[in-house]
């Protein structure tokens, strides 16, 4: 695939209805390239519905990914909560595969006051079990833990890249807005480029050739992310991010999670295309 595809997290606001199928059709009408299906409140799509989604997406030329439910914590202290979290990832991956989605994004865990390295070893163990089951079921979707925006949440770039390096079939979801909100910095060309270099060093060039990126404007305070904003109402340096992605020849999908969804997805796409032309 050449370059980057741009799209929305969920069905665009201007779709005929909020259904996934109308969302895919609207993405194509707008000239965008991808959409993330938001199963964030639960996987409420059956197999027949997923097959239809796959058919429509293939016909419209829209690349799909899926976001797993928010209610996942692979560092939960109760075994039943771990099992429920694992099931939610598996359920999302199963329906995503039928939809033809190549990636499943999820929020891995909360620290719950544990040392980060304790949380890491639990997350790695329980995610490893999920990967084993997916492999047995011949499910090839990339499982992508996301970089998170609050210091209470598991998911620094280092933690995410370590999981990807250690577990087969796991790849990163790089949410640049989250990392900016969490640190208060990471908002310049040089800093974005340093993350891309880190990805290349840890996971190889192939990881830059198949990236999954989340972008939005973002508001933040001492405890990190407070809410998503539209890009132009935020301080997020999206032009510098796009410059870094271009210079490192990153390929893959960019999912826009601004409140205005398709407006900012189109802004990102147009800005990126202008950069491609002007060099
Ligand atoms: Zn997310």
């Amino acid at each position: 695939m050449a370059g980057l595809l741009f799209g929305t997290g969920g069905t665009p606001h201007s779709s005929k209805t909020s259904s996934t199928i109308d969302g895919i059709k609207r993405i194509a009408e707008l000239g965008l390239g991808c959409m993330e299906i938001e199963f964030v409140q639960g996987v409420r799509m059956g197999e027949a519905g997923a097959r239809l989604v796959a058919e429509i997406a293939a016909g419209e030329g829209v690349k799909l990914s899926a976001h797993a439910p928010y209610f996942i914590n692979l560092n939960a202290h109760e075994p039943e909560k771990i099992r429920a979290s694992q099931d939610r990832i598996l359920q999302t991956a199963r329906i995503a595969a039928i939809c033809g989605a190549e990636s499943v994004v999820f929020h891995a865990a909360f620290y719950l006051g544990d040392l980060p390295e304790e949380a890491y070893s639990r997350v790695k163990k329980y995610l490893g079990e999920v990967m084993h089951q997916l492999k047995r079921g011949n499910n090839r979707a990339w499982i992508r833990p996301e970089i998170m925006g609050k210091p209470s949440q598991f998911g620094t770039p280092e933690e995410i890249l370590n999981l990807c390096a250690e577990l087969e079939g796991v790849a990163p979801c790089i949410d640049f807005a989250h990392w900016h909100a969490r640190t208060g910095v990471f908002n310049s060309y040089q800093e974005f480029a340093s993350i891309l270099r880190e990805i290349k060093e840890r996971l190889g060039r192939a990881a830059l050739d198949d990236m999954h990126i989340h972008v939005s404007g973002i508001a933040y305070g001492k405890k990190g992310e407070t809410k998503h904003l539209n890009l132009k109402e935020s301080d997020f340096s999206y032009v510098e991010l796009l410059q870094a992605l271009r210079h490192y020849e990153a390929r893959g999908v960019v999912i826009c999670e601004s409140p205005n969804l398709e407006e900012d997805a189109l802004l990102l796409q147009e800005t990126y295309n202008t950069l491609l032309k002007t060099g």
Side-chain angles (χ1 to χ4, degrees):
M1 178 179 38
L4 290 170
L5 296 177
F6 293 84
T8 54
T11 299
H13 296 305
S14 56
S15 310
K16 213 189 301 168
T17 73
S18 62
S19 77
T20 300
I21 284 175
D22 281 336
I24 293 166
K25 290 180 178 167
R26 186 63 187 148
I27 288 284
E29 278 171 8
L30 289 165
L32 292 166
C34 56
M35 189 177 97
E36 192 145 287
I37 307 172
E38 302 271 23
F39 293 126
V40 295
Q41 305 299 340
V43 183
R44 296 185 191 123
M45 185 185 286
E47 281 184 29
R51 273 192 291 273
L52 190 58
V53 163
E55 203 180 296
I56 302 285
E60 300 283 354
V62 172
K63 191 176 164 91
L64 295 177
S65 53
H67 197 305
Y70 289 140
F71 309 103
I72 287 175
N73 184 2
L74 293 177
N75 185 43
H77 294 168
E78 302 86 344
E80 61 277 14
K81 285 192 185 168
I82 296 283
R83 264 197 305 280
S85 296
Q86 290 176 314
D87 284 346
R88 289 185 179 113
I89 301 171
L90 288 166
Q91 214 188 348
T92 308
R94 202 175 64 82
I95 289 296
I98 301 171
C99 288
E102 288 170 24
S103 292
V104 171
V105 173
F106 73 108
H107 302 174
F110 290 87
Y111 296 114
L112 305 177
D114 297 341
L115 289 172
E117 45 280 28
E118 286 172 4
Y120 182 85
S121 57
R122 277 197 207 103
V123 171
K124 185 187 156 192
K125 175 171 184 255
Y126 297 126
L127 184 57
E129 291 173 3
V130 168
M131 300 314 296
H132 183 71
Q133 287 220 41
L134 287 173
K135 200 172 179 183
R136 273 185 26 192
N138 216 8
N139 186 313
R140 290 161 197 276
W142 285 107
I143 302 300
R144 296 186 183 263
E146 180 174 334
I147 291 176
M148 299 307 299
K150 293 180 189 158
S152 58
Q153 292 171 306
F154 175 94
T156 63
E158 197 189 353
E159 287 165 339
I160 300 302
L161 295 183
N162 282 342
L163 282 177
C164 299
E166 296 196 86
L167 295 173
E168 196 191 333
V170 177
C173 172
I174 308 290
D175 191 318
F176 286 98
H178 276 168
W179 191 234
H180 167 48
R182 185 161 174 161
T183 59
V185 289
F186 280 92
N187 197 27
S188 66
Y189 175 90
Q190 280 307 332
E191 291 163 303
F192 297 135
S194 75
I195 296 178
L196 298 176
R197 276 197 303 277
E198 185 76 14
I199 294 170
K200 192 176 169 190
E201 270 162 36
R202 295 299 314 280
L203 307 178
R205 173 68 225 183
L208 291 187
D209 287 335
D210 188 12
M211 287 195 71
H212 196 90
I213 296 165
H214 281 179
V215 183
S216 68
I218 200 153
Y220 52 94
K222 273 205 196 82
K223 290 180 180 169
E225 165 189 15
T226 52
K227 64 173 179 177
H228 286 198
L229 297 173
N230 297 332
L231 286 168
K232 286 189 170 164
E233 289 150 20
S234 77
D235 70 356
F236 190 70
S237 304
Y238 64 93
V239 179
E240 292 186 41
L241 171 62
L242 293 169
Q243 277 165 338
L245 292 171
R246 193 186 88 77
H247 289 158
Y248 282 78
E249 294 178 37
R251 298 185 180 91
V253 307
V254 177
I255 296 295
C256 175
E257 294 186 324
S258 296
N260 69 12
L261 291 177
E262 63 265 43
E263 269 179 61
D264 275 357
L266 287 166
L267 172 67
L268 290 164
Q269 180 172 268
E270 281 156 24
T271 308
Y272 183 72
N273 286 340
T274 306
L275 290 175
L276 285 184
K277 273 182 236 143
T278 54

